Amino acid sequence: MTTIFPIEALSDERRALGMAVAVVVGIGFGFVLERSGFGRAQKLVGQFYGYDFTVLKVMFTAIVTAMLGLVVLSSAGVVDLAAIQFNYPTYLWPMIVGGLLLGAGFVMSGYCPGTSLVATASGKLDGVSTVLGVVAGGLVYAHVEPALGAFPNSGKLGALSLSAWLGLPAPIVAAFVVAIAIAAFLAGERIERMVAGAAEAVAPTGAARKWIFVGLVAVALAGVAMLALPTGTSAAP
Amino acid sequence: MERNPSKFWNPYAGGVALGLVLLVTFLLMGKGLGASGATYRLGVWAVSGLAPSHAERVPAIAAVLEDGHPLDDWLVFEVVGVLIGGVLGAITSGRFSREVLKGPTFSSARRIGFAIAGGVVMGFAAKLSRGCTSGQALSGGAAMSVGSWAFMLSVFAGGYAVAYFLRRQWR
Protein backbone atom coordinates (compact mmCIF):
# COMPACT_ATOMS: atom_id res chain seq x y z
CA MET A 1 0.00 0.00 0.00
CA THR A 2 1.31 3.42 -0.83
CA THR A 3 -1.83 5.48 -0.50
CA ILE A 4 -5.48 4.67 -0.14
CA PHE A 5 -6.46 7.73 -2.15
CA PRO A 6 -3.96 8.59 -4.91
CA ILE A 7 -5.94 11.77 -5.22
CA GLU A 8 -5.08 12.78 -8.78
CA ALA A 9 -6.19 9.43 -10.19
CA LEU A 10 -9.55 8.99 -8.52
CA SER A 11 -12.80 8.24 -10.25
CA ASP A 12 -15.56 10.72 -9.44
CA GLU A 13 -17.08 8.60 -6.71
CA ARG A 14 -13.86 7.94 -4.84
CA ARG A 15 -12.76 11.51 -5.48
CA ALA A 16 -15.76 12.73 -3.45
CA LEU A 17 -14.67 10.38 -0.68
CA GLY A 18 -11.13 11.79 -0.87
CA MET A 19 -12.48 15.33 -0.52
CA ALA A 20 -14.54 14.27 2.51
CA VAL A 21 -11.38 12.82 4.05
CA ALA A 22 -9.61 16.14 3.31
CA VAL A 23 -12.29 18.03 5.27
CA VAL A 24 -12.00 15.57 8.19
CA VAL A 25 -8.20 15.76 8.48
CA GLY A 26 -8.53 19.55 8.14
CA ILE A 27 -10.90 19.62 11.11
CA GLY A 28 -8.34 17.67 13.15
CA PHE A 29 -5.57 20.02 11.99
CA GLY A 30 -7.53 23.19 12.83
CA PHE A 31 -8.78 21.90 16.19
CA VAL A 32 -5.32 20.83 17.40
CA LEU A 33 -3.76 24.12 16.26
CA GLU A 34 -6.43 26.12 18.10
CA ARG A 35 -6.13 24.11 21.31
CA SER A 36 -2.35 24.45 21.24
CA GLY A 37 -2.74 28.25 21.18
CA PHE A 38 -1.88 28.72 17.50
CA GLY A 39 -4.87 31.01 16.88
CA ARG A 40 -3.28 33.74 19.03
CA ALA A 41 -0.57 36.03 17.66
CA GLN A 42 1.21 36.70 20.97
CA LYS A 43 1.53 33.01 21.71
CA LEU A 44 3.02 32.36 18.26
CA VAL A 45 5.52 35.24 18.20
CA GLY A 46 6.64 34.42 21.77
CA GLN A 47 8.98 32.02 20.01
CA PHE A 48 10.93 34.98 18.63
CA TYR A 49 11.16 36.88 21.94
CA GLY A 50 12.02 33.90 24.15
CA TYR A 51 8.97 34.09 26.45
CA ASP A 52 7.00 31.23 24.91
CA PHE A 53 8.48 28.34 22.92
CA THR A 54 5.12 26.71 22.15
CA VAL A 55 5.77 26.91 18.39
CA LEU A 56 9.04 24.97 18.73
CA LYS A 57 7.51 22.40 21.10
CA VAL A 58 4.34 21.69 19.13
CA MET A 59 5.94 21.79 15.70
CA PHE A 60 8.99 19.67 16.45
CA THR A 61 6.99 17.14 18.47
CA ALA A 62 4.57 16.87 15.52
CA ILE A 63 7.42 16.50 13.02
CA VAL A 64 9.20 13.74 14.97
CA THR A 65 5.91 11.95 15.71
CA ALA A 66 4.93 11.80 12.03
CA MET A 67 8.53 11.09 10.97
CA LEU A 68 8.83 8.14 13.35
CA GLY A 69 5.46 6.85 12.19
CA LEU A 70 6.57 6.98 8.55
CA VAL A 71 9.93 5.36 9.32
CA VAL A 72 8.47 2.51 11.40
CA LEU A 73 5.65 1.83 8.91
CA SER A 74 8.16 1.94 6.08
CA SER A 75 10.42 -0.57 7.87
CA ALA A 76 7.38 -2.81 8.32
CA GLY A 77 6.75 -2.61 4.58
CA VAL A 78 3.40 -0.82 5.00
CA VAL A 79 4.36 2.57 3.58
CA ASP A 80 6.51 3.54 0.60
CA LEU A 81 8.57 6.34 2.11
CA ALA A 82 10.22 7.21 -1.21
CA ALA A 83 6.80 7.76 -2.83
CA ILE A 84 5.93 10.29 -0.12
CA GLN A 85 9.34 11.99 -0.36
CA PHE A 86 8.80 12.33 -4.12
CA ASN A 87 6.22 15.03 -3.28
CA TYR A 88 8.85 17.17 -1.51
CA PRO A 89 11.56 18.05 -4.05
CA THR A 90 14.32 20.43 -2.99
CA TYR A 91 14.98 23.76 -4.71
CA LEU A 92 17.52 25.01 -2.22
CA TRP A 93 17.91 28.75 -2.99
CA PRO A 94 14.27 29.77 -3.43
CA MET A 95 13.42 27.74 -0.32
CA ILE A 96 16.06 29.53 1.77
CA VAL A 97 15.06 32.98 0.49
CA GLY A 98 11.36 32.14 0.80
CA GLY A 99 11.95 30.89 4.35
CA LEU A 100 13.76 34.07 5.40
CA LEU A 101 10.95 36.21 3.94
CA LEU A 102 8.23 34.04 5.47
CA GLY A 103 9.90 34.29 8.90
CA ALA A 104 9.95 38.08 8.64
CA GLY A 105 6.29 38.11 7.53
CA PHE A 106 5.45 35.79 10.45
CA VAL A 107 6.69 38.31 13.04
CA MET A 108 5.09 41.23 11.14
CA SER A 109 1.67 39.62 10.97
CA GLY A 110 1.86 37.44 14.10
CA TYR A 111 0.83 34.35 12.12
CA CYS A 112 1.94 31.95 9.45
CA PRO A 113 -0.43 31.22 6.52
CA GLY A 114 -2.01 28.20 8.27
CA THR A 115 -2.39 29.73 11.73
CA SER A 116 -3.90 32.89 10.21
CA LEU A 117 -6.78 30.67 9.09
CA VAL A 118 -7.23 29.39 12.66
CA ALA A 119 -7.13 32.98 13.99
CA THR A 120 -9.78 33.91 11.40
CA ALA A 121 -11.92 30.99 12.57
CA SER A 122 -11.68 32.26 16.16
CA GLY A 123 -12.83 35.76 15.20
CA LYS A 124 -9.49 37.59 15.21
CA LEU A 125 -9.50 40.60 12.88
CA ASP A 126 -5.70 40.61 12.62
CA GLY A 127 -6.03 36.98 11.46
CA VAL A 128 -8.45 37.83 8.62
CA SER A 129 -6.20 40.73 7.62
CA THR A 130 -3.27 38.33 7.39
CA VAL A 131 -5.26 35.91 5.21
CA LEU A 132 -6.15 38.76 2.83
CA GLY A 133 -2.49 39.75 2.76
CA VAL A 134 -1.45 36.16 1.91
CA VAL A 135 -3.99 36.13 -0.96
CA ALA A 136 -2.56 39.42 -2.28
CA GLY A 137 1.05 38.29 -1.81
CA GLY A 138 0.47 35.12 -3.82
CA LEU A 139 -0.99 37.19 -6.66
CA VAL A 140 1.95 39.61 -6.49
CA TYR A 141 4.26 36.61 -6.88
CA ALA A 142 2.27 35.32 -9.85
CA HIS A 143 2.74 38.67 -11.60
CA VAL A 144 6.47 39.08 -10.94
CA GLU A 145 7.40 35.41 -11.43
CA PRO A 146 8.41 35.88 -15.11
CA ALA A 147 10.89 38.58 -13.98
CA LEU A 148 12.52 36.21 -11.48
CA GLY A 149 13.92 34.16 -14.37
CA ALA A 150 15.56 30.88 -13.35
CA PHE A 151 15.81 31.69 -9.63
CA PRO A 152 12.64 29.83 -8.49
CA ASN A 153 14.13 26.63 -9.98
CA SER A 154 17.67 27.15 -8.73
CA GLY A 155 19.45 24.76 -6.36
CA LYS A 156 17.41 21.88 -7.77
CA LEU A 157 18.37 18.68 -5.94
CA GLY A 158 15.32 16.52 -6.69
CA ALA A 159 13.53 14.58 -3.95
CA LEU A 160 16.64 14.61 -1.74
CA SER A 161 15.99 13.22 1.75
CA LEU A 162 18.10 13.89 4.82
CA SER A 163 19.06 10.21 4.88
CA ALA A 164 20.22 10.21 1.25
CA TRP A 165 22.10 13.46 1.83
CA LEU A 166 23.85 12.13 4.95
CA GLY A 167 24.27 8.62 3.58
CA LEU A 168 22.57 7.06 6.61
CA PRO A 169 19.48 4.83 6.93
CA ALA A 170 16.25 6.77 7.63
CA PRO A 171 15.71 5.26 11.13
CA ILE A 172 19.18 6.42 12.23
CA VAL A 173 18.49 9.95 10.95
CA ALA A 174 15.08 9.94 12.68
CA ALA A 175 16.70 8.91 15.98
CA PHE A 176 19.19 11.79 15.64
CA VAL A 177 16.32 14.22 14.95
CA VAL A 178 14.51 12.99 18.10
CA ALA A 179 17.67 13.59 20.17
CA ILE A 180 18.10 17.09 18.70
CA ALA A 181 14.41 17.88 19.26
CA ILE A 182 14.50 16.88 22.94
CA ALA A 183 17.69 18.91 23.46
CA ALA A 184 15.97 21.89 21.80
CA PHE A 185 12.89 21.47 24.04
CA LEU A 186 15.02 21.50 27.19
CA ALA A 187 16.94 24.55 25.93
CA GLY A 188 13.67 26.32 25.06
CA GLU A 189 12.24 25.62 28.53
CA ARG A 190 15.41 27.00 30.11
CA ILE A 191 15.23 30.21 28.04
CA GLU A 192 11.54 30.60 28.96
CA ARG A 193 12.46 30.42 32.64
CA MET A 194 15.26 32.95 32.18
CA VAL A 195 13.08 35.43 30.28
CA ALA A 196 10.04 35.05 32.52
CA GLY A 197 12.12 35.16 35.71
CA ALA A 198 11.37 33.31 38.90
CA ALA A 199 8.30 35.42 39.61
CA GLU A 200 6.27 34.28 36.62
CA ALA A 201 5.82 30.54 36.46
CA VAL A 202 5.85 29.10 32.95
CA ALA A 203 3.08 26.60 32.17
CA PRO A 204 3.67 23.37 34.10
CA THR A 205 5.14 20.60 32.03
CA GLY A 206 4.00 17.69 34.19
CA ALA A 207 4.14 13.97 33.81
CA ALA A 208 2.74 13.97 30.25
CA ARG A 209 5.91 15.63 28.99
CA LYS A 210 8.15 12.99 30.55
CA TRP A 211 6.17 10.10 29.10
CA ILE A 212 6.03 11.72 25.65
CA PHE A 213 9.83 12.12 25.67
CA VAL A 214 10.24 8.49 26.80
CA GLY A 215 7.76 7.34 24.14
CA LEU A 216 9.52 9.21 21.33
CA VAL A 217 12.89 7.77 22.32
CA ALA A 218 11.40 4.26 22.59
CA VAL A 219 9.82 4.44 19.12
CA ALA A 220 13.04 5.88 17.68
CA LEU A 221 15.02 2.95 19.11
CA ALA A 222 12.39 0.49 17.87
CA GLY A 223 12.77 2.05 14.43
CA VAL A 224 16.52 1.50 14.54
CA ALA A 225 16.02 -2.09 15.72
CA MET A 226 13.67 -2.71 12.78
CA LEU A 227 16.60 -2.18 10.42
CA ALA A 228 17.21 -5.90 11.02
CA LEU A 229 13.85 -6.73 9.38
CA PRO A 230 13.97 -8.00 5.79
CA THR A 231 10.73 -6.20 4.75
CA GLY A 232 11.94 -2.64 5.12
CA THR A 233 12.51 -0.12 2.37
CA SER A 234 14.04 2.40 4.77
CA ALA A 235 17.34 0.60 5.32
CA ALA A 236 18.78 1.98 2.10
CA PRO A 237 19.84 5.58 2.66
CA MET B 1 -16.91 21.46 30.75
CA GLU B 2 -15.13 24.47 32.18
CA ARG B 3 -13.99 27.07 29.66
CA ASN B 4 -10.73 28.82 30.30
CA PRO B 5 -9.47 30.97 27.42
CA SER B 6 -5.93 31.08 28.81
CA LYS B 7 -5.65 27.31 29.17
CA PHE B 8 -3.94 25.50 26.30
CA TRP B 9 -3.04 21.89 25.72
CA ASN B 10 0.31 20.68 26.95
CA PRO B 11 2.46 21.63 23.90
CA TYR B 12 4.07 18.20 23.68
CA ALA B 13 0.67 16.47 23.80
CA GLY B 14 -0.59 18.94 21.17
CA GLY B 15 2.46 18.10 19.09
CA VAL B 16 1.79 14.36 19.28
CA ALA B 17 -1.86 14.97 18.30
CA LEU B 18 -0.78 17.15 15.36
CA GLY B 19 1.83 14.57 14.35
CA LEU B 20 -0.79 11.82 14.32
CA VAL B 21 -3.15 13.95 12.18
CA LEU B 22 -0.23 14.51 9.80
CA LEU B 23 0.70 10.81 9.76
CA VAL B 24 -2.89 9.80 8.97
CA THR B 25 -2.90 12.39 6.16
CA PHE B 26 0.30 10.91 4.72
CA LEU B 27 -1.17 7.39 4.86
CA LEU B 28 -4.51 8.33 3.30
CA MET B 29 -3.44 10.97 0.78
CA GLY B 30 0.20 10.15 0.06
CA LYS B 31 1.15 13.72 1.02
CA GLY B 32 0.96 15.90 4.07
CA LEU B 33 -1.03 18.93 5.20
CA GLY B 34 -0.93 22.42 3.69
CA ALA B 35 -2.39 25.90 3.91
CA SER B 36 -0.93 28.60 1.65
CA GLY B 37 -1.73 26.63 -1.52
CA ALA B 38 -5.44 26.88 -0.71
CA THR B 39 -5.17 30.60 0.10
CA TYR B 40 -3.45 31.12 -3.27
CA ARG B 41 -6.27 29.27 -5.04
CA LEU B 42 -8.72 31.67 -3.39
CA GLY B 43 -6.81 34.55 -5.01
CA VAL B 44 -6.75 32.79 -8.39
CA TRP B 45 -10.49 32.26 -8.16
CA ALA B 46 -11.05 35.96 -7.35
CA VAL B 47 -8.90 37.13 -10.28
CA SER B 48 -10.53 34.70 -12.70
CA GLY B 49 -13.94 36.05 -11.69
CA LEU B 50 -13.03 39.76 -11.72
CA ALA B 51 -10.65 39.87 -14.69
CA PRO B 52 -10.85 36.60 -16.67
CA SER B 53 -8.88 37.80 -19.69
CA HIS B 54 -6.12 39.16 -17.45
CA ALA B 55 -5.96 35.85 -15.56
CA GLU B 56 -5.23 34.02 -18.81
CA ARG B 57 -2.18 36.20 -19.44
CA VAL B 58 -0.44 35.47 -16.10
CA PRO B 59 1.27 32.06 -16.40
CA ALA B 60 1.16 31.17 -12.66
CA ILE B 61 -2.59 31.91 -12.59
CA ALA B 62 -3.45 30.37 -15.97
CA ALA B 63 -1.68 27.14 -14.95
CA VAL B 64 -4.07 26.68 -12.00
CA LEU B 65 -7.13 27.49 -14.14
CA GLU B 66 -6.11 24.87 -16.73
CA ASP B 67 -6.72 22.14 -14.14
CA GLY B 68 -10.38 23.05 -13.74
CA HIS B 69 -12.13 25.16 -11.12
CA PRO B 70 -9.47 26.75 -8.86
CA LEU B 71 -11.34 25.82 -5.69
CA ASP B 72 -11.86 22.18 -6.72
CA ASP B 73 -8.72 20.92 -5.01
CA TRP B 74 -8.18 18.69 -1.99
CA LEU B 75 -6.16 21.41 -0.21
CA VAL B 76 -9.12 23.80 -0.41
CA PHE B 77 -11.34 21.13 1.18
CA GLU B 78 -8.70 20.54 3.85
CA VAL B 79 -8.67 24.28 4.65
CA VAL B 80 -12.48 24.30 4.91
CA GLY B 81 -11.91 21.64 7.57
CA VAL B 82 -9.23 23.78 9.27
CA LEU B 83 -11.76 26.62 9.55
CA ILE B 84 -14.41 24.28 10.99
CA GLY B 85 -11.89 22.76 13.42
CA GLY B 86 -10.66 26.23 14.39
CA VAL B 87 -14.20 27.44 15.14
CA LEU B 88 -14.92 24.30 17.19
CA GLY B 89 -11.68 24.68 19.17
CA ALA B 90 -12.22 28.40 19.79
CA ILE B 91 -15.86 28.11 20.88
CA THR B 92 -15.29 25.14 23.20
CA SER B 93 -12.29 26.86 24.82
CA GLY B 94 -13.98 30.25 25.23
CA ARG B 95 -11.49 31.90 22.87
CA PHE B 96 -13.97 32.80 20.13
CA SER B 97 -14.35 36.58 20.07
CA ARG B 98 -14.15 39.40 17.55
CA GLU B 99 -10.98 41.26 18.52
CA VAL B 100 -7.56 42.44 17.38
CA LEU B 101 -4.68 40.68 19.15
CA LYS B 102 -1.87 43.12 19.97
CA GLY B 103 0.10 44.70 22.78
CA PRO B 104 -1.83 47.21 24.96
CA THR B 105 0.09 50.28 23.74
CA PHE B 106 -0.10 49.55 19.99
CA SER B 107 -3.01 50.97 17.95
CA SER B 108 -5.43 48.57 16.26
CA ALA B 109 -5.14 50.34 12.91
CA ARG B 110 -1.36 49.95 12.84
CA ARG B 111 -1.65 46.34 13.98
CA ILE B 112 -4.02 45.59 11.07
CA GLY B 113 -1.58 47.34 8.73
CA PHE B 114 1.27 45.12 9.93
CA ALA B 115 -0.94 42.03 9.64
CA ILE B 116 -1.77 42.80 6.00
CA ALA B 117 1.84 43.68 5.14
CA GLY B 118 3.17 40.54 6.84
CA GLY B 119 0.55 38.51 5.00
CA VAL B 120 1.64 39.94 1.63
CA VAL B 121 5.27 39.06 2.38
CA MET B 122 4.26 35.51 3.41
CA GLY B 123 1.99 35.00 0.40
CA PHE B 124 4.89 35.92 -1.87
CA ALA B 125 7.38 33.82 0.13
CA ALA B 126 5.18 30.72 0.23
CA LYS B 127 4.93 30.72 -3.57
CA LEU B 128 8.69 31.14 -3.94
CA SER B 129 9.44 28.27 -1.54
CA ARG B 130 6.62 26.03 -2.89
CA GLY B 131 4.87 25.85 0.48
CA CYS B 132 4.57 27.44 3.89
CA THR B 133 5.12 26.35 7.47
CA SER B 134 2.40 23.70 7.04
CA GLY B 135 3.12 22.22 3.63
CA GLN B 136 6.88 22.68 3.61
CA ALA B 137 8.27 22.88 7.19
CA LEU B 138 5.81 20.56 8.96
CA SER B 139 4.91 18.06 6.23
CA GLY B 140 8.14 18.11 4.21
CA GLY B 141 10.11 18.19 7.46
CA ALA B 142 8.42 15.00 8.64
CA ALA B 143 9.11 13.44 5.22
CA MET B 144 12.79 14.33 5.80
CA SER B 145 13.14 16.57 2.73
CA VAL B 146 16.41 18.52 2.72
CA GLY B 147 14.72 21.56 1.16
CA SER B 148 11.96 21.55 3.77
CA TRP B 149 14.52 21.57 6.59
CA ALA B 150 16.48 24.38 4.91
CA PHE B 151 13.19 26.29 4.60
CA MET B 152 12.26 25.67 8.25
CA LEU B 153 15.62 26.86 9.61
CA SER B 154 15.37 29.93 7.33
CA VAL B 155 11.91 30.76 8.74
CA PHE B 156 13.33 30.81 12.26
CA ALA B 157 16.34 32.86 11.10
CA GLY B 158 14.11 35.39 9.31
CA GLY B 159 11.85 35.72 12.34
CA TYR B 160 14.68 36.26 14.80
CA ALA B 161 16.32 38.77 12.43
CA VAL B 162 13.33 41.15 12.49
CA ALA B 163 11.78 40.41 15.92
CA TYR B 164 13.61 43.20 17.76
CA PHE B 165 12.31 45.87 15.35
CA LEU B 166 8.70 44.73 15.72
CA ARG B 167 8.63 44.26 19.49
CA ARG B 168 6.33 47.24 20.17
CA GLN B 169 3.47 45.47 18.41
CA TRP B 170 3.24 42.96 21.24
CA ARG B 171 3.98 44.92 24.42
Side-chain angles (χ1 to χ4, degrees):
Chain A
M1 182 194 92
T2 49
T3 60
I4 295 175
F5 302 109
I7 200 74
E8 280 81 15
L10 292 182
S11 61
D12 285 352
E13 207 172 289
R14 292 201 62 197
R15 193 165 186 283
L17 184 60
M19 294 305 175
V21 171
V23 175
V24 172
V25 297
I27 291 174
F29 188 26
F31 189 84
V32 173
L33 288 179
E34 202 290 325
R35 282 306 176 92
S36 299
F38 280 20
R40 304 187 71 81
Q42 277 111 324
K43 192 134 182 87
L44 291 162
V45 298
Q47 174 71 41
F48 299 102
Y49 297 96
Y51 62 77
D52 191 332
F53 279 84
T54 301
V55 167
L56 175 89
K57 295 172 192 170
V58 174
M59 217 171 136
F60 270 88
T61 307
I63 287 172
V64 294
T65 299
M67 181 188 287
L68 289 173
L70 289 177
V71 164
V72 167
L73 293 174
S74 156
S75 293
V78 179
V79 166
D80 185 351
L81 187 56
I84 288 172
Q85 288 170 337
F86 183 75
N87 293 314
Y88 297 94
T90 292
Y91 296 87
L92 198 58
W93 305 121
M95 284 173 173
I96 288 174
V97 173
L100 291 169
L101 286 173
L102 198 135
F106 191 152
V107 184
M108 284 173 80
S109 67
Y111 302 101
C112 65
T115 51
S116 68
L117 296 164
V118 178
T120 300
S122 42
K124 310 300 176 246
L125 301 177
D126 46 333
V128 193
S129 307
T130 304
V131 173
L132 294 175
V134 175
V135 170
L139 295 175
V140 169
Y141 179 88
H143 285 81
V144 304
E145 189 188 49
L148 296 176
F151 182 72
N153 293 316
S154 61
K156 183 177 178 183
L157 299 173
L160 180 66
S161 69
L162 292 174
S163 41
W165 180 53
L166 296 169
L168 292 168
I172 303 280
V173 176
F176 273 123
V177 175
V178 170
I180 292 167
I182 290 177
F185 297 153
L186 298 177
E189 289 177 4
R190 178 170 286 230
I191 296 169
E192 279 174 348
R193 283 194 297 272
M194 273 161 46
V195 171
E200 203 179 326
V202 176
T205 44
R209 161 181 171 277
K210 187 179 86 183
W211 288 113
I212 288 167
F213 286 8
V214 169
L216 292 174
V217 170
V219 178
L221 293 176
V224 173
M226 286 172 84
L227 281 172
L229 291 179
T231 47
T233 52
S234 66
Chain B
M1 214 173 78
E2 195 192 349
R3 290 182 190 185
N4 180 357
S6 57
K7 189 162 167 35
F8 302 101
W9 279 359
N10 176 311
Y12 303 112
V16 170
L18 181 56
L20 293 176
V21 171
L22 178 58
L23 181 61
V24 167
T25 310
F26 273 126
L27 299 184
L28 294 179
M29 308 305 244
K31 54 187 157 191
L33 298 160
S36 55
T39 312
Y40 178 65
R41 284 176 172 273
L42 192 63
V44 169
W45 174 66
V47 172
S48 70
L50 295 169
S53 59
H54 174 71
E56 294 299 321
R57 285 197 298 273
V58 182
I61 294 175
V64 174
L65 294 172
E66 265 173 32
D67 283 344
H69 195 285
L71 298 183
D72 186 14
D73 183 80
W74 96 273
L75 206 51
V76 175
F77 285 80
E78 182 235 69
V79 156
V80 169
V82 168
L83 293 169
I84 297 170
V87 169
L88 289 175
I91 289 176
T92 53
S93 65
R95 282 191 284 271
F96 187 91
S97 70
R98 205 171 69 102
E99 60 183 320
V100 177
L101 294 175
K102 61 178 186 60
T105 61
F106 205 77
S107 84
S108 289
R110 290 187 67 197
R111 170 75 187 104
I112 294 295
F114 273 102
I116 294 171
V120 171
V121 172
M122 290 194 295
F124 185 94
K127 285 297 289 173
L128 186 60
S129 50
R130 295 173 167 79
C132 62
T133 15
S134 306
Q136 202 60 269
L138 180 69
S139 303
M144 298 197 267
S145 156
V146 167
S148 300
W149 279 85
F151 170 79
M152 188 187 336
L153 297 176
S154 304
V155 170
F156 281 106
Y160 283 111
V162 302
Y164 177 79
F165 306 102
L166 296 161
R167 66 193 184 283
R168 281 200 209 99
Q169 253 198 123
W170 315 112
R171 288 186 190 163

